Amino acid sequence: MATAVLRLFLLLILLTCAISELCNPQDKKVLLQIKKDLNNPYLLASWNPDTDCCTWYTVDCDPKTHRIISLTIFSSVPETNFSAQIPPSVGLLPYLETLEFHKLPKLTGPLQPTIAKLTNLKFLRISNTNLSGSVPSFLAQLTNLTFLDLSFNNLTGSIPGSLSQLPNLNALHLDRNHLTGSIPSSFGSFKSNPDIYLSHNNLTGPIPPTLGNLNLTTIDLSRNKLEGDASSIFGPNKTVQIVDLSRNQLSFDLSEVEFPASLTSLDLNHNKVYGKLPEGLTALNLQYLNVSYNRLCGQIPVGGDLQSFDIYSYFHNKCLCGSPLPKCT
Ligand SMILES: *[C@@H]1O[C@H](CO)[C@@H](O)[C@H](O)[C@H]1NC(C)=O
Ligand SMILES: *[C@@H]1O[C@H](CO)[C@@H](O)[C@H](O)[C@H]1NC(C)=O
Ligand SMILES: *[C@@H]1O[C@H](CO)[C@@H](O)[C@H](O)[C@H]1NC(C)=O
Ligand SMILES: *[C@@H]1O[C@H](CO)[C@@H](O)[C@H](O)[C@H]1NC(C)=O
Ligand SMILES: *[C@@H]1O[C@H](CO)[C@@H](O)[C@H](O)[C@H]1NC(C)=O
Ligand SMILES: *[C@@H]1O[C@H](CO)[C@@H](O)[C@H](O)[C@H]1NC(C)=O
Ligand SMILES: *[C@@H]1O[C@H](CO)[C@@H](O)[C@H](O)[C@H]1NC(C)=O
Ligand SMILES: *[C@@H]1O[C@H](CO)[C@@H](O)[C@H](O)[C@H]1NC(C)=O
């Protein structure tokens, strides 16, 4: 008798669970396909078909519609088994706002074209993977994107200028790939003044003067093969705070550059910058300055923070002198 009651009770619990499943059945089907396409990694062990997919690890459901809005797959330890491409079925989760594949060194292949269908995406990060192929221009169709991070991958080819059509972008990370070609001059028409990270690639040509149209906060173009003038990034009315142009082949006269009061960090090391350090540098609140390994000349202006940096901020120039370097003669 007691067992019969217990059985009934258990059955009731099971029924309630089944009824109270919030997960959309179509989303659940797609997630299970994604798990299969990724070769059932241990990381997705919680994706059990008998449970509510809104409770699964690495996904989130919308609290009202219970549709899947977030899929974030990342491994803090390199997962040796996890050898796959981005499953094309991610394109079948139409309500996704966040999609992330991070620290998966064996994730290969291109950025799947089905991602173009995810028009609700706001946050897209595929980084520290072995993703190859180019930065696709279809990304420009994801007009809700505020954050796009494809850094630390194996991407090649040039940067599509159409990315500047993303009206809400706050940050663009394409650093640490093998990108070539020049920085698109259309980047000067970004509406939302994103932080731009393009370092550790093989970008060539000049920094487009159109970048001067942006009210940038952070720009990192370091470790490329950029040439010519970078002064369009500066100017008295600019808003830029952090500028890293180090390890390029930039060649321009620094003497005439007017730096904005907003500037807190400036790295120009290993370029071919010439002229003098402008007096205006003494008026800034600089936390970091590095102009080493250039072709600068003349006395380091006295004042501001300029004497608080050590010689390694200034060494290896043509004839830069004065504190903290040796006296000018
Ligand atoms: C690797 O795969 C084997 C067999 O499929 C499994 O037992 C093991 O847990 C997996 N290891 C990881 C780290 O996923
Ligand atoms: C990355 O993918 C390429 C093929 O695209 C392959 O040759 C290489 O071994 C992969 N690297 C790693 C670390 O898996
Ligand atoms: C962007 O998101 C809003 C809601 O936040 C949505 O109404 C709109 O359709 C989305 N845009 C696109 C292109 O899907
Ligand atoms: C990038 O791709 C090349 C060529 O396919 C491959 O040899 C290399 O291992 C890949 N790099 C990484 C970090 O996987
Ligand atoms: C840049 O190109 C050089 C020469 O082709 C190559 O040796 C180097 O690995 C490339 N660097 C990157 C970050 O792609
Ligand atoms: C930059 O700021 C100035 C002054 O606030 C403004 O007139 C201009 O439209 C801004 N440009 C962009 C691209 O936001
Ligand atoms: C900077 O702004 C001031 C007023 O806001 C204006 O008079 C000046 O012409 C601007 N300078 C430059 C170089 O745009
Ligand atoms: C400036 O850059 C040079 C060259 O990379 C480096 O040796 C030096 O330590 C840097 N200085 C500071 C203060 O970081």
Side-chain angles (χ1 to χ4, degrees), residues 25-37:
Q26 179 58 28
D27 287 352
K28 188 176 201 172
K29 214 172 112 195
V30 172
L31 288 173
L32 289 170
Q33 182 62 43
I34 290 173
K35 181 177 177 180
K36 192 169 160 232
D37 292 346

Side-chain angles (χ1 to χ4, degrees), residues 167-284:
N168 300 305
L169 201 64
N170 294 325
L172 174 65
H173 295 258
L174 299 177
D175 46 302
R176 306 233 184 203
N177 280 289
H178 305 290
L179 301 174
T180 50
S182 51
I183 300 174
S185 60
S186 63
F187 271 25
S189 56
F190 270 114
K191 297 263 185 318
S192 50
N193 301 302
D195 289 340
I196 295 177
Y197 300 87
L198 305 177
S199 74
H200 294 81
N201 280 295
N202 260 334
L203 300 173
T204 50
I207 294 175
T210 50
L211 285 193
N213 300 338
L214 299 179
N215 300 319
L216 294 165
T217 304
T218 299
I219 184 160
D220 182 356
L221 307 179
S222 63
R223 294 182 191 251
N224 279 289
K225 292 176 178 157
L226 301 167
E227 316 171 328
D229 192 359
S231 54
S232 62
I233 292 174
F234 307 106
N237 294 352
K238 293 285 165 54
T239 50
V240 73
Q241 294 170 18
I242 298 170
V243 178
D244 189 350
L245 306 176
S246 63
R247 295 183 189 258
N248 278 288
Q249 292 155 22
L250 298 167
S251 173
F252 61 101
D253 187 352
L254 202 62
S255 328
E256 303 304 322
V257 172
E258 286 190 69
F259 292 105
S262 53
L263 193 66
T264 58
S265 175
L266 175 63
D267 198 343
L268 295 175
N269 89 70
H270 282 94
N271 277 288
K272 298 173 186 169
V273 181
Y274 56 90
K276 306 181 297 182
L277 285 179
E279 204 56 48
L281 279 173
T282 61
L284 305 178

Side-chain angles (χ1 to χ4, degrees), residues 105-179:
K106 293 208 161 178
L107 193 72
T108 55
L111 203 62
Q112 296 292 349
T114 55
I115 288 176
K117 290 193 231 161
L118 302 175
T119 51
N120 287 303
L121 272 188
K122 294 180 179 148
F123 182 105
L124 176 58
R125 168 185 278 152
I126 300 173
S127 64
N128 297 75
T129 76
N130 192 3
L131 196 71
S132 57
S134 57
V135 178
S137 54
F138 70 68
L139 292 171
Q141 296 165 33
L142 303 176
T143 51
N144 272 350
L145 276 185
T146 59
F147 185 90
L148 175 58
D149 180 357
L150 302 177
S151 63
F152 289 87
N153 289 307
N154 216 342
L155 298 171
T156 51
S158 56
I159 301 173
S162 57
L163 293 183
S164 64
Q165 292 162 20
L166 291 169
N168 300 305
L169 201 64
N170 294 325
L172 174 65
H173 295 258
L174 299 177
D175 46 302
R176 306 233 184 203
N177 280 289
H178 305 290
L179 301 174

